[in-house]
């Protein structure tokens, strides 16, 4: 053997045997890996590995492996593999320290399992060394070669020496692992135990330290266990002075005579701030002559305080029983009273001495005592014990009142005493009744509210379905209630509503429901109309007429007489196909039809009403979209003087819907007013018109003298910020004010006339002209016409249309012209369509005109061309 090989073998032995002195297990594990890599290199092996044998499970597993580049690892193929998979090899290692296989293919039939496994791993030659520790096979070390390899005897002996060191290293790793698992198991057990497990060691020289301290529920040990492992003095120092000497004496006695320890002591900073610990331990003498106590610490602070706590609790219980508002009765299982607290005497107005020995039944109404005692006995069953039962009690004065009783068996033993807690729930029942009243009844009229109405209607629908009958929901709205409420005061209005509720209740049949939804809206549910009698509609109408007659009578309210009337909408129902909300909506629609038809009448819902509503909602949705997407357009209709000369134009809103085509203003303007959209539309028209006026002012050449009229609806006019918004727009273009004319309708005079007059004055002070549109068709009154600062009256086209054929229309038109002249206002006739109408109006003294005779409404571009032509040619010849 050459010198280098010898040096390599010596270095290998030093490294391998050095594993047995490594300070930590982790160093041993990494050292073993390094060792097998060096052995593989020294012996030019393709694979080197260590397998560990688990004798308890009879399995073998690979723990370390080294493979040369290009060789397939086998680490994961041999894991928890039964030893019986290698019978020949295990037998051989039981007799010889090493097994040398020169050629796997030449192994006999007795080694067929080993031959198959080694062939699968593409092994041709191998050396396997048993790892022995304390005469037990703990594993094996192997070298594999993919080609045939001859291993010399001296090489085998070196491997056997390495195997001895590797066996010791493997055994150490296993022992440390098992110890770690055992400590973890002990730690888990200790954490679940109601105390703290420990091992306390005392060396021959008297030094104390904990070799084990579990994770118990004792805060002191939990936070100081690391320090206590080095010295137990920290714990002993925390023992109170009064207990420390006896504790140390107990340990000395136990160590000397090997007696078990069972003692209690206090730990803490003072007697007021301390805890009681109990120590129980067995003692043993170890081989190094040290003494070890194995045992457990318990926190017994609570048990030490138990007696005192029980006494305190007893006193507290007596105090509670004597002062609690609820009555407490104890009795035997047969209901014989053996004790009561003062509250029972107070609640039932019967002395304790009178009650003792009597039956609990004497505290109940005699007529109900037997069934209620039966209920109480049933409540003592294991399932219902402790549950609440409401019964009717009776006190010593004969007063009956509701109580809530909770009965329980002491310790759940049927033969033991019974405890009953009794609460007087009179006030609670009263409050519940008041709450239910508020929840289901109208506080003013005492009629059912919407919530209870829904329940009653649900029941009526069920009855209708079951009995094959029909019913009706009647929606009633009082006519002109707001006027009475505002003029006579809310107290009178409340009196009227109360009287209406009374008359309604007297007018319907038993089983029908009268409810108030709020305000002056009432609902009546009529049910039980037989199918084989008159039609349900006739039966419902008869009841509604009776109701109307009752409501139409005279009301004496606060010393004054009022005449009432109502509008009714009726929706019929037959089964569950219709909900309350649907019926209310249908009856509501019918009621509004009654309002539209002149009030004080009855109307039945039909599908055409629903169709109209749906169409209106669809139109409103399209209108909102049209405003959003700028689909509305402003057209302008020229206005001329008596010579046909254009003097201005009226701005008119138009809507060309992509889906509907041109929609009439008479259809969408009222809808815009009802839907709250008219303000946005009016602002748009005003902005467009001011833009036209600005363009005309910039152009000059006669354009700057023309005016534009913009319509303002009553709802737009009564907006609180209408005047201020107009002022803001005019302020930007002040020079345009005198060319702007606002047309208002007579409907604005239904508002506060003084306020309207003030608003018109503010508008005129800006320089804007105010015209009264459609004069004679609304709230015509000479008094307001005289007192309002108007600039112009427009004769409505309804008077112009039949001017030549109807003397009345001609007289009205002539009167309006005369009024305008006498009040210093200008008059303009609109809707002029024929030359005859024009001549007659001029003969009456009218000087300004508007209508199809002169021009139809046109877009802004066409208006510009029209005016330019007019101004360029002088004027358009009149017919």
């Amino acid at each position: 053997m050459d010198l280098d090989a010898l040096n390599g073998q010596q270095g290998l032995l030093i490294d391998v045997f050095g594993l047995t002195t490594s300070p930590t297990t982790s160093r041993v594990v990494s050292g073993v890996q390094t060792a097998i890599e060096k052995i593989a290199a020294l012996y030019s092996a393709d694979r080197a590995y260590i397998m560990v044998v688990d004798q308890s499970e009879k399995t073998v597993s690979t723990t370390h492996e080294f493979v040369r580049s290009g060789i397939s690892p086998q680490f994961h193929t041999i894991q928890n593999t039964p030893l019986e998979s290698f019978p020949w090899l295990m037998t051989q290692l039981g007799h010889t320290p090493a097994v040398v296989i020169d050629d796997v293919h030449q192994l006999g039939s007795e080694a067929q399992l080993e031959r198959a496994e080694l062939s699968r791993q593409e092994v041709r030659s191998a050396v396997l060394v048993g790892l022995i520790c304390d005469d037990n096979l703990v594993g094996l070390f192997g070298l594999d070669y993919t080609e045939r390899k001859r291993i010399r005897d001296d090489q085998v002996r070196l491997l056997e020496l390495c195997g001895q060191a590797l066996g010791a290293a493997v055994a150490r790793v296993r022992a440390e692992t098992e110890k770690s698992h055992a400590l973890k198991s002990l730690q888990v057990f200790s954490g679940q135990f109601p105390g703290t497990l420990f091992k306390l060691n005392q060396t021959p020289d008297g030094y104390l330290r904990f070799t084990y301290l579990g994770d118990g529920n004792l805060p002191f040990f939990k936070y100081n266990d690391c320090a206590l492992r080095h010295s137990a003095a920290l714990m002993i120092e925390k023992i109170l002075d009064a207990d420390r000497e006896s504790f140390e004496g107990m340990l000395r006695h136990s160590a000397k005579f090997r007696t078990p320890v069972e003692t209690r002591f206090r730990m803490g900073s003072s007697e007021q701030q301390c805890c009681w610990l109990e120590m129980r331990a067995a003692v043993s003498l170890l081989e190094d002559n040290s003494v070890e106590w194995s045992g457990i610490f318990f926190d017994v602070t609570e048990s030490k305080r138990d007696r005192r706590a029980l006494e305190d609790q007893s006193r507290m219980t007596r105090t509670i029983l004597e002062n609690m508002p609820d009555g407490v009765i104890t009795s035997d299982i047969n209901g014989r009273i053996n004790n009561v607290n003062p509250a029972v005497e107070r609640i039932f107005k019967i002395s304790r001495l009178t009650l003792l020995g009597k039956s609990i039944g004497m505290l109940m109404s005699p007529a109900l005592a037997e069934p209620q005692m039966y209920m109480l006995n049933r409540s003592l069953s294991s399932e219902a014990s402790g549950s609440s039962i409401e019964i009717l009690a009776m006190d010593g004065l004969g007063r009956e009142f509701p109580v809530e009783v909770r009965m329980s068996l002491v310790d759940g033993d049927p033969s033991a005493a019974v405890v009953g807690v009794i609460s007087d729930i009179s006030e609670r029942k009263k409050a519940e009744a008041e709450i239910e009243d508020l929840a289901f009844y109208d506080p003013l009229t005492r009629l059912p509210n919407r919530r209870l109405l829904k329940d009653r209607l649900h029941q009526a629908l069920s009855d209708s379905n079951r009995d094959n009958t029909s019913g009706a929901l009647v929606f009633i709205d009082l006519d002109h209630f707001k006027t009475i409420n505002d003029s006579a005061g809310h107290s009178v209005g409340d009196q009227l509503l109360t009287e209406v509720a009374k008359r309604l209740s007297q007018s319907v049949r038993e089983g029908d429901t009268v409810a108030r939804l709020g305000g002056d809206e009432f609902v009546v549910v009529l049910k039980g109309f037989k199918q084989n009698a008159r039609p349900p509609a006739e039966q419902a109408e008869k009841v509604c007429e009776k109701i109307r007659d009752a409501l139409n009578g005279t009301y004496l309210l606060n010393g004054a007489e009022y005449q009432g009337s109502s509008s009714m909408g009726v929706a019929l129902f037959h089964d569950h196909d219709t909900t309350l909300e649907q019926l209310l909506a249908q009856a509501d629609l019918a009621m509004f039809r009654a309002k539209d038809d002149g009030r004080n009448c009855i109307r039945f819902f039909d599908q055409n009403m629903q169709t109209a509503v749906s169409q209106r909602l669809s139109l409103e949705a399209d209108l909102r979209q049209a405003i959003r997407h700028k689909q509305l357009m402003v057209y302008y209709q020229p206005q001329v003087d008596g010579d046909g000369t254009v003097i201005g134009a009226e701005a008119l809103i138009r809507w060309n819907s992509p889906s509907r085509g041109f929609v009439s203003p008479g259809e969408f303007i009222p809808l815009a007013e009802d839907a709250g959209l008219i303000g946005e539309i009016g602002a748009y028209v005003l902005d467009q018109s001011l833009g036209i006026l600005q363009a005309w002012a910039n152009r000059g050449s006669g354009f700057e003298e023309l005016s534009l009229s913009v319509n303002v609806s009553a709802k737009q006019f009564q907006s609180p910020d209408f005047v201020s918004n107009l002022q803001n727009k005019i302020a930007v273009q002040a020079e345009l004010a005198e060319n702007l004319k606002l047309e208002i309708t007579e409907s604005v005079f239904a508002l506060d006339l003084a306020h309207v007059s003030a608003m018109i004055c503010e508008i005129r002070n800006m320089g804007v002209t105010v015209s009264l549109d459609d004069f004679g068709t609304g709230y015509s009154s000479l008094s307001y016409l005289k007192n309002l600062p108007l600039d112009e009256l427009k004769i409505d086209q309804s008077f112009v249309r039949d001017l030549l054929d109807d003397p009345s229309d001609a007289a009205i038109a002539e009167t309006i012209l005369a009024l305008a002249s006498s009040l210093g206002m200008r008059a303009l006739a609109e809707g002029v369509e024929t030359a005859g109408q024009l001549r007659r109006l001029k003969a009456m003294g009218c000087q300004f005109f508007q209508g199809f005779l002169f021009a139809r409404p046109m877009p802004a571009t066409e208006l510009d061309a029209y005016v330019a032509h007019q101004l360029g040619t002088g004027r358009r010849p009149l017919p």
Side-chain angles (χ1 to χ4, degrees), residues 747-809:
S747 57
V748 301
F749 305 133
L751 309 174
D752 182 358
L753 197 60
H755 179 64
V756 171
S757 179
M759 288 180 64
I760 294 175
C761 286
E762 287 188 71
I763 294 170
R764 296 183 75 238
N765 288 338
M766 300 177 201
V768 178
T769 303
V770 180
S771 174
L772 181 58
D773 194 14
D774 301 337
F775 180 68
T777 61
Y779 298 86
S780 298
S781 171
L782 293 179
S783 62
Y784 76 66
L785 191 61
K786 174 183 177 182
N787 295 317
L788 290 177
L790 299 170
D791 297 291
E792 180 183 78
L793 293 181
K794 292 190 73 174
I795 304 173
D796 187 68
Q797 59 182 340
S798 62
F799 303 128
V800 175
R801 183 183 306 113
D802 297 324
L803 184 72
L804 301 178
D805 303 319
D806 189 335
S808 297
D809 286 345

Side-chain angles (χ1 to χ4, degrees), residues 447-700:
L447 293 177
N449 60 11
R450 179 184 287 267
R451 180 180 295 178
L452 185 54
L453 171 65
K454 186 174 183 179
D455 182 72
R456 295 279 181 86
L457 180 61
H458 177 77
Q459 185 61 47
L461 290 170
S462 297
D463 294 346
S464 171
N465 191 49
R466 184 192 65 233
D467 302 334
N468 193 30
T469 58
S470 297
L473 187 143
V474 184
F475 197 110
I476 303 171
D477 186 272
L478 304 182
D479 296 332
H480 308 299
F481 173 76
K482 186 177 184 303
T483 303
I484 297 174
N485 203 43
D486 292 344
S487 61
H490 292 290
S491 61
V492 172
D494 289 347
Q495 289 181 45
L496 175 60
L497 294 174
T498 304
E499 181 62 25
V500 166
K502 181 180 177 181
R503 295 186 184 187
L504 282 173
S505 300
Q506 294 171 345
S507 301
V508 298
R509 305 159 304 167
E510 184 178 356
D512 294 336
T513 296
V514 179
R516 181 188 176 212
L517 296 186
D520 61 337
E521 296 177 341
F522 295 84
V523 170
V524 176
V525 178
L526 306 175
K527 63 179 185 178
F529 297 149
K530 301 292 184 182
Q531 298 297 318
N532 56 0
R534 292 175 300 163
E538 287 187 17
Q539 298 179 63
E541 186 174 23
K542 182 177 180 181
V543 178
C544 290
E545 288 174 349
K546 181 180 179 182
I547 292 174
R548 182 178 60 180
D549 292 342
L551 298 184
N552 281 3
T554 301
Y555 296 85
L556 184 61
L557 307 174
N558 202 24
E561 288 188 355
Y562 294 88
Q563 192 67 36
S565 68
S566 61
S567 298
M568 300 185 199
V570 185
L572 299 175
F573 61 84
H574 180 65
D575 50 32
H576 273 293
D577 291 341
T578 310
T579 66
L580 168 65
E581 299 305 326
Q582 289 173 328
L583 283 173
L584 280 175
Q586 293 173 0
D588 191 42
L589 285 174
M591 184 274 293
F592 276 108
R593 173 62 61 84
K595 292 280 189 185
D596 292 340
D597 290 349
R599 294 183 170 84
N600 195 27
C601 56
I602 303 165
R603 293 293 180 266
F604 282 77
F605 171 82
D606 61 44
Q607 196 56 45
N608 291 333
M609 294 182 185
Q610 187 64 52
T611 302
V613 171
S614 299
Q615 291 174 347
R616 181 182 176 87
L617 290 175
S618 174
L619 183 63
E620 180 181 334
D622 288 352
L623 179 58
R624 290 182 184 276
Q625 186 174 2
I627 295 173
R628 232 178 359 254
H629 297 293
K630 308 295 184 185
Q631 294 175 359
L632 298 181
M633 302 171 294
V634 181
Y635 275 45
Y636 302 88
Q637 186 173 30
Q639 297 173 337
V640 301
D641 62 12
D643 297 328
T645 304
V646 63
I647 58 172
E650 179 183 3
L652 302 168
I653 192 69
R654 294 293 184 266
W655 176 20
N656 187 9
S657 169
S659 59
R660 299 173 181 271
F662 273 100
V663 182
S664 168
E667 185 177 358
F668 73 83
I669 291 296
L671 175 63
E673 291 182 334
D674 292 341
L677 302 174
I678 195 64
E680 191 173 355
I681 294 174
Y684 171 71
V685 174
L686 181 60
D687 289 339
Q688 295 294 308
S689 299
L690 288 173
I692 294 290
L693 288 175
Q694 184 64 63
W696 286 353
N698 296 337
R699 184 169 181 173

